[in-house]
Amino acid sequence: MNIRALAANALGPLLRQHGSLSTHLPDALEHCPQQDRALLQQLCYGTMRELFRLQALAARLLQKPFKRQDSDLQALLLIGLWQLRSSRIPAHAALHETVEATEVLNKPWAKKLFNAVLRRYQREQDKLEQALSEDPCFTWNHPQWFIDKLSHNWPEHWQSILHANDQQAPLTLRTNGRQLSRRQALEQLAEAGIDATPCRFSPVGLSLSQAMDVNAVPGFAAGQFSVQDEAAQLAAELVDAKPGERILDACAAPGGKLCHLLEATPGLQEVIAVELEPARAQRIADNLQRLGLELECRTLTADASSQDWWDGIAFDRILVDAPCSGTGVIRRHPDIKWLRKGDEIAALAQVQLNILANLWQMLKPGGRLVYATCSIFSQENERIIERFLRQQNDARHETIDAKWGEARPFGRQLFPLNGGHDGFYYAVLNKTTDDSTA
């Protein structure tokens, strides 16, 4: 079994803009021996994390680019360069296994080419990288549109955001307060030899010092813990649900914020989760079942921008976890910066505004709506809220008083933090009881 060839087959379609890591890697893992799965993940995630630097180097090393039908070879070369440049894999092993993978891919004609190109990189690494030092895409390892947009949005933060995007995110858990306190959770993990520290902002968050198979965490299968980034854990406190209220979680998959809401507030009158895609709706069901919460929520496969599914009974609280560019979670999904295109942001923003306007009609007077995205672009965040408030006379923006993130004219923005939370955005809106006060 050649693990490099498996990785190349997983990444090849991505380079053609087909699918994502989350769609292709699971199949590769199924065909990978158990003892090699960690290496396969390391090769795929590492290569995608440094993709723009690796592509720039490959372009320097090749006389002509690979043909489209050879995207597996293109991926394999990037994997080889990543091993030599950034991994702890011995260079001789990385080079040998990568060259041999050309035969496994049924393209033995490329064997000599790979051997020559990778050995040249070994000899000339400093010279090659120095020649690319003036290329922003190589320096910052992001597409040019992303660098331009980010530096315009955040002139004081863009460099630190780009740097944070290239770091591996920590494994963060949410403690199920119905079953144990965070103090008890820390003691339980320590007894199992797992080093964990309390998150800074979430009262139920724990950050593990080392990544591990979450199924090996004692109590995970019993529902004592869930995997959830600290930034996402802040949603439940902002929604501030009360017993007896009717709650809507829109665009709810995979259900982390929904489950947190249920854990934090027993005795809710009714909770409805809406998700457009059936496969993602199933993930909500799976999470609810693992946590023993399936009887406390009703999941609908429906479009949050439509009212076809609504029974006409207004909600006390609504969480709008809007579909977005995902640019705040690139550390966890490094293929985002390759797959996402700059011209998609405006279209996403219109979808977000449409969903927000539609769901607002379902909120009771005096009700509370929390708007959230995992984006770092203001076009999807504070500008959406600003546009909405201009259109909606009965909407009032509530300032979020918190120690996390950066206060904006509307809402608060979190940036990805090394060793800490992902990039995220939150805004809180209240519906007035009399729209004539506008």
Side-chain angles (χ1 to χ4, degrees):
M1 175 68 67
N2 188 293
I3 308 305
R4 279 76 179 173
L6 265 180
N9 279 325
L11 297 187
L14 268 69
L15 300 182
R16 302 194 306 270
Q17 299 286 321
H18 291 166
S20 64
L21 267 179
S22 63
T23 58
H24 294 299
L25 186 54
D27 183 63
L29 288 169
E30 282 189 14
H31 291 85
C32 182
Q34 184 70 38
Q35 67 271 18
D36 293 322
R37 289 181 178 180
L39 173 59
L40 176 60
Q41 288 185 299
Q42 183 184 31
L43 293 171
C44 290
Y45 274 90
T47 300
M48 292 307 297
R49 188 166 281 123
E50 295 193 29
L51 182 65
F52 289 88
R53 290 195 182 106
L54 299 173
Q55 285 184 317
L57 287 167
R60 286 268 173 175
L61 289 162
L62 294 169
Q63 291 184 351
K64 57 182 180 179
F66 289 109
K67 296 179 180 178
R68 182 174 175 81
Q69 62 264 32
D70 293 323
S71 61
D72 53 350
L73 288 181
Q74 181 187 359
L76 181 62
L77 180 58
L78 300 177
I79 291 165
L81 290 171
W82 177 80
Q83 293 172 87
L84 295 175
R85 187 178 190 275
S86 302
S87 79
R88 297 181 180 179
I89 300 170
H92 66 89
L95 198 151
H96 173 75
E97 290 295 322
T98 303
V99 171
E100 290 300 309
T102 60
E103 292 196 0
V104 179
L105 295 173
N106 295 317
K107 295 177 179 177
W109 57 266
K111 193 169 184 178
K112 289 184 179 180
L113 171 65
F114 269 64
N115 190 58
V117 167
L118 293 176
R119 290 189 183 280
R120 181 188 166 197
Y121 176 72
Q122 280 186 296
R123 296 191 307 269
E124 302 178 20
Q125 178 177 354
D126 292 342
K127 178 181 176 182
L128 288 164
E129 299 202 5
Q130 180 59 38
L132 290 166
S133 61
E134 299 300 317
D135 179 357
C137 294
F138 178 83
T139 301
W140 296 110
N141 192 36
H142 282 71
Q144 189 64 55
W145 74 264
F146 194 108
I147 299 169
D148 293 342
K149 190 173 188 67
L150 193 66
S151 59
H152 175 74
N153 278 192
W154 306 109
E156 297 180 0
H157 301 289
W158 68 274
Q159 294 182 343
S160 62
I161 295 172
L162 293 177
H163 177 72
N165 279 352
D166 286 346
Q167 309 308 306
Q168 185 170 344
L171 175 57
T172 307
L173 303 178
R174 185 187 75 244
T175 306
N176 184 349
R178 288 198 187 185
Q179 297 197 32
L180 73 173
S181 68
R182 183 163 67 174
R183 179 185 58 78
Q184 291 171 323
L186 286 166
E187 292 173 353
Q188 182 171 300
L189 293 176
E191 289 176 3
I194 300 173
D195 184 33
T197 55
C199 288
R200 181 179 175 188
F201 303 114
S202 168
V204 293
L206 296 171
S207 181
L208 273 57
S209 60
Q210 297 290 332
M212 62 180 294
D213 181 357
V214 71
N215 292 299
V217 174
F220 179 79
Q224 293 180 344
F225 301 100
S226 295
V227 176
Q228 188 179 40
D229 180 72
E230 182 184 16
Q233 294 181 32
L234 303 173
E237 184 175 0
L238 291 175
V239 173
D240 193 27
K242 308 297 183 186
E245 291 184 333
R246 191 172 199 245
I247 310 297
L248 171 66
D249 184 352
C251 315
K257 300 179 190 70
L258 170 69
C259 292
H260 190 190
L261 280 169
L262 293 169
E263 290 169 357
T265 317
L268 293 168
Q269 179 192 27
E270 184 178 25
V271 179
I272 295 177
V274 171
E275 173 55 45
L276 178 62
E277 300 177 18
R280 287 172 58 80
Q282 183 58 48
R283 292 184 65 190
I284 299 175
D286 293 342
N287 280 318
L288 288 168
Q289 185 172 20
R290 184 181 67 83
L291 294 168
L293 299 169
E294 65 271 24
L295 299 180
E296 299 185 30
C297 176
R298 185 155 56 98
T299 303
L300 303 177
T301 303
D303 185 353
S305 65
S306 167
Q307 294 193 8
D308 293 345
W309 53 270
W310 184 39
D311 60 9
I313 303 174
F315 295 93
D316 298 281
R317 315 271 168 157
I318 297 178
L319 172 60
V320 184
D321 194 2
C324 69
S325 62
T327 46
V329 294
I330 284 174
R331 300 182 306 171
R332 302 182 190 279
H333 305 282
D335 48 336
I336 285 175
K337 60 184 174 183
W338 168 248
L339 297 172
R340 185 66 68 196
K341 303 302 177 187
D343 56 8
E344 296 172 346
I345 306 300
L348 277 169
Q350 189 57 53
V351 170
Q352 292 153 0
L353 188 61
N354 291 345
I355 289 174
L356 180 56
N358 181 59
L359 297 178
W360 187 256
Q361 301 174 61
M362 305 179 191
L363 185 66
K364 286 182 180 179
R368 181 183 186 88
L369 182 146
V370 174
Y371 176 87
T373 77
C374 55
S375 171
I376 51 174
F377 290 135
S378 57
Q379 189 174 357
E380 301 178 83
N381 296 336
E382 59 190 270
R383 294 185 199 170
I384 293 293
I385 301 303
E386 182 180 18
R387 290 170 64 188
F388 178 74
L389 289 170
R390 285 202 302 263
Q391 299 172 7
Q392 203 69 41
N393 290 336
D394 59 350
R396 295 291 178 270
H397 169 252
E398 178 180 313
T399 300
I400 300 173
D401 183 13
K403 295 181 180 179
W404 47 261
E406 179 170 304
R408 303 301 301 160
F410 303 99
R412 291 187 79 89
Q413 179 72 55
L414 298 106
F415 304 120
L417 187 65
N418 287 340
H421 55 67
D422 290 336
F424 230 85
Y425 173 82
Y426 287 108
V428 176
L429 300 175
N430 296 312
K431 193 169 193 176
T432 62
T433 56
D434 182 359
D435 61 8
S436 67
T437 60

